Amino acid sequence: MEKHIDRIIAKIVITLISIYLAAPIVATIMYSFAKSWVNTILPDGWTFEWYLQLITNSDFLSALARSIILGFVTTIIAMCCFLPVVFYANVYDESIKAKLRFITVLPFTIPGIVLVTGLVRVYANLPVPQMLVLLLAISLLSLPVTYQALDNAFIAHDFRAMFEQALILGDSPIKAFVKVVIPNIRVGMFIAMLLTFTNAFGEYVLTNIILGGNYETLKIYMYRLMQSNGQASSVLTTVYFFFLAIISIIMIAIMKWQGSKKAEEVEDTKKL
Amino acid sequence: MSSISLEVKDLAINLSGNQVIKDMNFKIKKNTLTTFLGPSGSGKTTVLRAIAGLNQKIAGKILLDDTEIQNLAANQRNIGMIFQSYALFPNLSVFENVAYGLRVRKEPKATIKEKVDAILKTVNLQDKEQSYPENLSGGQKQRVAIARAMVLEPKILLLDEPLSALDAKIRIELRNQIREYQQRLGITMLFVTHDQAEAMAISDEIIVMDNGKVQQQGSPLEIYTHPQNIFIAKFIGNHNILDAAQLRSLGVELAENDKSNFIIRPELFQISITGDSSDYMAVSGKVKNISILGDRFEYRFITENGLELKVEFLNQQQAFMIETAITFYVKKDNIERVGI
C-alpha cells in the first residue's frame, strides 16, 4: 500500500516537473504560430506569416549564415588542434591524459567574461585579427565536449597496433592516420564535430564582447529581436529549438546504432 | 648466399633514460622459426620493435639479408609483423585488409586480385574475403593477419605474442597452425612469447632473454637439457637446482672447492637401476606431495637429510601414496653443472 502511494506521488512530481519544463516551450511554439494572443487563454487564430517574414528577412539570413560560418570554421580549427593531441595521448603517451583532462575542464571553471577580458587584453595590441581571436576562443571553450567525444572514439580498438601495422605495410605516418585511424573513429569524430558546431553556433558571450555589432550571429540577432518583436523572436526561438533537437536526435540515433552494433558483434563472436 | 636472415650486432636501446637492451648479439637462420623467450619486462618486444623499425632510437646494427636496416623507416624495411591484437583494420573487408600493402605499393589491380586470392586460398579463407574482422573467429583473424603479412613476401615475419590473449586449448591449435604455415611457406619467423611450453613446441631455435640480455640461444632440446645458468634452468623447466654442498649430502663426490650449481631434471629419476649401480646416485626418502598432471605425476619428495626434490613419472602405473618411503635413482651423468 505504501509502495502504491509512493508511486503515485512520484508520478505526480514527474508530471509537474515535465509540465513546468514543457510549458514555456509549448507556449513559445504556439505563440510563433499565433495570429494574435492578447488577454485570451488560447490564440485568436493560427498563421505562418511570422515564419514567412523571418525567412525573407535579410538580417536573419545574414545572421544565420554568420553563425553557420562560425560553427564550421570553429569545428575545423577544433578538429585540427585537438584530434592529433587526442591521438597522440591515446596511442603513444597515455600518461599525458591526466594533464589533458585537467586542461579540458578549465573552460568550465573560467567564466566566459573572464576569458574574454583576458583575451582582449592580450591581443589588443597585437596584429591578430579579432575574428581569429574569437574563433580560437570558441574552439577552446568547446574543448571539454570535443575532447571527451574524441577520447571515447579511441577506446574501441588497438589504434597503436593498427597505426604501426599500416606503417609496416608500407604507408607513411600521415597516410596511415588518414586511411586507418580516421575511418575507425569517424562516428566519434562526427559526434565531436556536431557538439563543437552547436557550441559555436549558439555562442553569445564571446562573440558579443569581442566582435559585438560587427558580427551579428543568430544568437545576438535573437536577443535584439526579443527586445523589439516578441512574436518574431518566438519564431526564431522555435526554429533554433528544432535545429538543436534535430542535432540531438541524430546524436542519440548514432549512439544507439553503435550500441546495437556492439551487441551484434558480441552475439556474432559467441556464435563462432 | 648467406644462410643468415637476420643479424643483430651490439644492439643497445634506451627508453626514457633507462638502458633496457644491452649489447645484444644474435643471428637468425633463414626459413626457421626462432622464438624470443623471456619473462615480462625482459626486453623481447622492445627488440622486436627495433627490428621492425618502430623504435629507431637504437645503437648497434641490424642486418637483414646482410644489409644494414637500422636507419631505415618501418615502411622501407620489407619486414612483416603480427601484433598481439592482430591489428586488422575493422573498416576493411578481409580482402581489403590483405590487399592493403599491395595497394600501398601501387601494384596493378589484376596482380592484387591474383595475389590476394592465392594467399587467402593458402590460409583457407577464400570464402571469407568479403567478411569483416568483427565477424571472424580468433583463428580466422590470425590467418588474415598472416596472409596480410605474407602477401608482401617479407624477408622476415615478426610475431609479437600473438597467442597470449587466448585460452589454453585455442593457443595450442593456433600455435600449431603458425608452425604449419611457417614450414609450408618457408618463412623466416621471429616469435615472441613468455610461455616456455609454446616456445619448446614450435621453435627451431630459442633465444632466452632476461634483463635486456640474451641468456642463451640454442635448439629447444639444447636449452632444456643444458641450460647455461640458473635463471634459464628455473625459467625453462621444472628442474631441481642444487648447490655443491647439497649434492655432496646426497653422496656425490665433488672437489672440496667446487662451488658450482647443478640441475637434475625431474623426469630423469628412476625407481630401479639397470647396469652398474656406481653410475647412479640413490636418494631415499618419503613422498610429501603428489600432483596429478594428467599424463604424468609430479611428486614432492623429501630426502632423508631433508632436501626437497621434484620427481616426475609418466602416468603408466599406480601412483605412490603420500608418506610412502622409497628410493629413487638418477644417473650421475644426468646431473648437469650450470653457471650462476
Side-chain angles (χ1 to χ4, degrees):
Chain A
M1 185 67 186
E2 260 185 39
K3 270 194 177 175
H4 189 63
I5 292 169
D6 285 351
R7 264 189 218 155
I8 290 171
I9 292 171
K11 274 184 186 170
I12 291 169
V13 170
I14 290 167
T15 310
L16 287 174
I17 291 172
S18 304
I19 291 170
Y20 176 74
L21 292 174
I25 298 168
V26 173
T28 305
I29 295 169
M30 284 171 71
Y31 193 46
S32 72
F33 287 103
K35 267 186 185 166
S36 163
W37 196 359
V38 186
N39 297 329
T40 51
I41 295 172
L42 288 171
D44 296 338
W46 306 103
T47 180
F48 281 105
E49 193 191 332
W50 309 113
Y51 281 87
L52 289 173
Q53 266 185 26
L54 187 74
I55 59 169
T56 52
N57 184 325
S58 63
D59 281 356
F60 164 73
L61 293 175
S62 302
L64 180 67
R66 286 189 202 104
S67 286
I68 289 172
I69 290 168
L70 198 66
F72 267 120
V73 179
T74 309
T75 305
I76 292 166
I77 291 174
M79 285 300 130
C80 291
C81 292
F82 305 143
L83 183 57
V85 176
V86 178
F87 170 72
Y88 180 81
N90 275 281
V91 170
Y92 284 107
D93 191 358
E94 290 227 358
S95 66
I96 66 166
K97 283 181 92 176
K99 289 168 200 153
L100 277 177
R101 261 184 231 116
F102 173 72
I103 293 169
T104 56
V105 295
L106 284 179
F108 281 140
T109 55
I110 302 172
I113 190 74
V114 176
L115 182 64
V116 173
T117 311
L119 285 169
V120 169
R121 287 204 167 202
V122 169
Y123 291 104
N125 299 322
L126 294 173
V128 180
Q130 294 287 78
M131 189 63 191
L132 184 63
V133 175
L134 176 70
L135 288 168
L136 292 174
I138 299 177
S139 304
L140 266 181
L141 275 188
S142 70
L143 183 58
V145 285
T146 314
Y147 174 81
Q148 205 49 56
L150 288 175
D151 194 42
N152 288 344
F154 279 93
I155 293 171
H157 304 291
D158 183 357
F159 280 94
R160 181 175 185 163
M162 281 161 50
F163 180 70
E164 290 179 338
Q165 183 64 259
L167 296 182
I168 286 169
L169 291 171
D171 254 339
S172 67
I174 292 173
K175 281 188 178 172
F177 183 76
V178 172
K179 284 159 69 179
V180 172
V181 178
I182 288 185
N184 289 299
I185 57 162
R186 62 187 188 280
V187 175
M189 260 182 78
F190 184 60
I191 290 172
M193 286 161 79
L194 278 180
L195 289 169
T196 314
F197 181 83
T198 48
N199 224 22
F201 189 82
E203 211 292 317
Y204 175 75
V205 177
L206 294 180
T207 319
N208 198 28
I209 297 176
I210 294 177
L211 296 179
N214 296 328
Y215 198 80
E216 192 176 56
T217 59
L218 201 62
K219 211 61 178 288
I220 297 173
Y221 176 68
M222 193 192 285
Y223 279 101
R224 183 162 69 83
L225 207 61
M226 274 168 79
Q227 286 157 8
S228 57
N229 184 345
Q231 212 136 14
S233 131
S234 65
V235 170
L236 190 51
T237 309
T238 305
V239 170
Y240 191 71
F241 171 76
F242 279 109
F243 174 74
L244 292 182
I246 288 167
I247 287 182
S248 304
I249 289 166
I250 291 172
M251 280 196 290
I252 292 166
I254 290 170
M255 285 170 187
K256 271 194 173 177
W257 172 74
Q258 258 196 320
S260 62
K261 207 176 154 216
K262 271 185 189 156
E264 271 176 34
E265 279 172 30
V266 171
E267 282 302 310
D268 285 347
T269 313
K270 277 182 188 169
K271 280 178 202 165
L272 290 167
Chain B
M1 199 173 164
S2 167
S3 66
I4 300 301
S5 170
L6 181 83
E7 184 172 3
V8 168
K9 284 183 180 174
D10 304 322
L11 181 71
I13 303 175
N14 273 292
L15 290 180
S16 312
N18 295 323
Q19 194 170 25
V20 291
I21 302 296
K22 299 147 198 161
D23 298 326
M24 180 172 279
N25 292 281
F26 62 86
K27 290 176 185 177
I28 289 174
K29 288 182 201 141
K30 278 185 180 153
N31 304 333
T32 58
L33 196 159
T34 304
T35 300
F36 264 149
L37 175 66
S40 299
S42 57
K44 311 179 293 287
T45 297
T46 308
V47 176
L48 204 73
R49 291 175 64 79
I51 296 167
L54 300 172
N55 179 4
Q56 287 184 290
K57 292 176 185 169
I58 62 162
K61 287 181 181 176
I62 301 171
L63 291 96
L64 188 61
D65 284 352
D66 299 323
T67 308
E68 285 188 27
I69 59 162
Q70 70 273 7
N71 296 321
L72 297 178
N75 56 359
Q76 295 166 342
R77 294 194 179 194
N78 196 15
I79 284 176
M81 185 157 174
I82 295 177
F83 290 82
Q84 190 177 333
S85 60
Y86 303 129
L88 299 183
F89 306 137
N91 56 313
L92 301 180
S93 66
V94 166
F95 184 94
E96 285 304 322
N97 261 283
V98 177
Y100 191 96
L102 297 170
R103 291 201 196 286
V104 172
R105 288 183 180 179
K106 296 190 171 26
E107 299 236 9
K109 278 184 182 175
T111 313
I112 293 174
K113 172 92 176 111
E114 191 185 320
K115 286 186 176 179
V116 173
D117 283 349
I119 197 82
L120 286 178
K121 200 175 171 191
T122 307
V123 296
N124 279 328
L125 281 175
Q126 60 271 42
D127 57 334
K128 292 282 179 188
E129 65 171 36
Q130 294 312 318
S131 300
Y132 280 80
E134 67 197 42
N135 299 318
L136 301 177
S137 68
Q140 289 168 336
K141 281 180 187 169
Q142 187 198 55
R143 280 186 274 157
V144 176
I146 290 174
R148 185 174 61 179
M150 290 317 303
V151 79
L152 296 178
E153 295 168 15
K155 290 177 178 168
I156 187 167
L157 181 58
L158 313 175
L159 299 100
D160 186 9
E161 305 216 32
L163 308 176
S164 64
L166 305 168
D167 63 55
K169 202 174 170 189
I170 294 175
R171 282 176 79 119
I172 293 170
E173 202 178 304
L174 295 188
R175 80 185 186 201
N176 293 337
Q177 201 168 276
I178 288 173
R179 181 59 162 163
E180 188 201 320
Y181 289 132
Q182 186 271 323
Q183 288 176 328
R184 182 144 45 109
L185 300 171
I187 319 162
T188 310
M189 279 189 183
L190 181 53
F191 185 98
V192 164
T193 183
H194 59 265
D195 184 328
Q196 304 89 313
E198 199 166 278
M200 302 282 285
I202 62 169
S203 311
D204 293 304
E205 284 228 316
I206 295 176
I207 298 173
V208 184
M209 280 184 66
D210 186 43
N211 202 20
K213 286 182 176 171
V214 171
Q215 301 289 327
Q216 188 175 354
Q217 179 171 1
S219 71
L221 197 62
E222 195 181 330
I223 290 199
Y224 182 74
T225 53
H226 305 293
Q228 276 179 4
N229 59 40
I230 293 196
F231 164 77
I232 301 166
K234 282 182 178 169
F235 189 70
I236 200 81
N238 192 24
H239 305 320
N240 294 291
I241 299 168
L242 306 172
D243 58 30
Q246 288 172 323
L247 203 58
R248 265 189 223 106
S249 74
L250 295 176
V252 178
E253 287 177 14
L254 294 170
E256 263 186 40
N257 58 354
D258 196 337
K259 305 272 188 217
S260 306
N261 287 290
F262 298 84
I263 60 160
I264 307 172
R265 282 149 49 201
E267 71 275 17
L268 292 178
F269 284 96
Q270 299 169 210
I271 47 174
S272 60
I273 56 175
T274 48
D276 190 351
S277 65
S278 63
D279 292 342
Y280 288 85
M281 174 181 84
V283 191
S284 298
K286 280 183 180 174
V287 173
K288 181 188 169 192
N289 190 293
I290 174 171
S291 301
I292 301 163
L293 305 175
D295 58 341
R296 64 210 142 92
F297 300 124
E298 183 192 274
Y299 300 99
R300 298 271 158 178
F301 177 72
I302 302 285
T303 63
E304 283 170 347
N305 51 359
L307 273 178
E308 185 175 310
L309 297 174
K310 287 165 275 187
V311 177
E312 285 183 10
F313 286 105
L314 282 177
N315 182 5
Q316 289 175 330
Q317 58 193 31
Q318 187 75 29
F320 302 116
M321 304 306 288
I322 293 173
E323 290 298 315
T324 306
I326 195 162
T327 299
F328 289 122
Y329 303 90
V330 66
K331 267 195 164 179
K332 287 176 183 168
D333 290 350
N334 287 331
I335 300 172
E336 188 85 19
R337 191 184 293 268
V338 290
I340 295 165

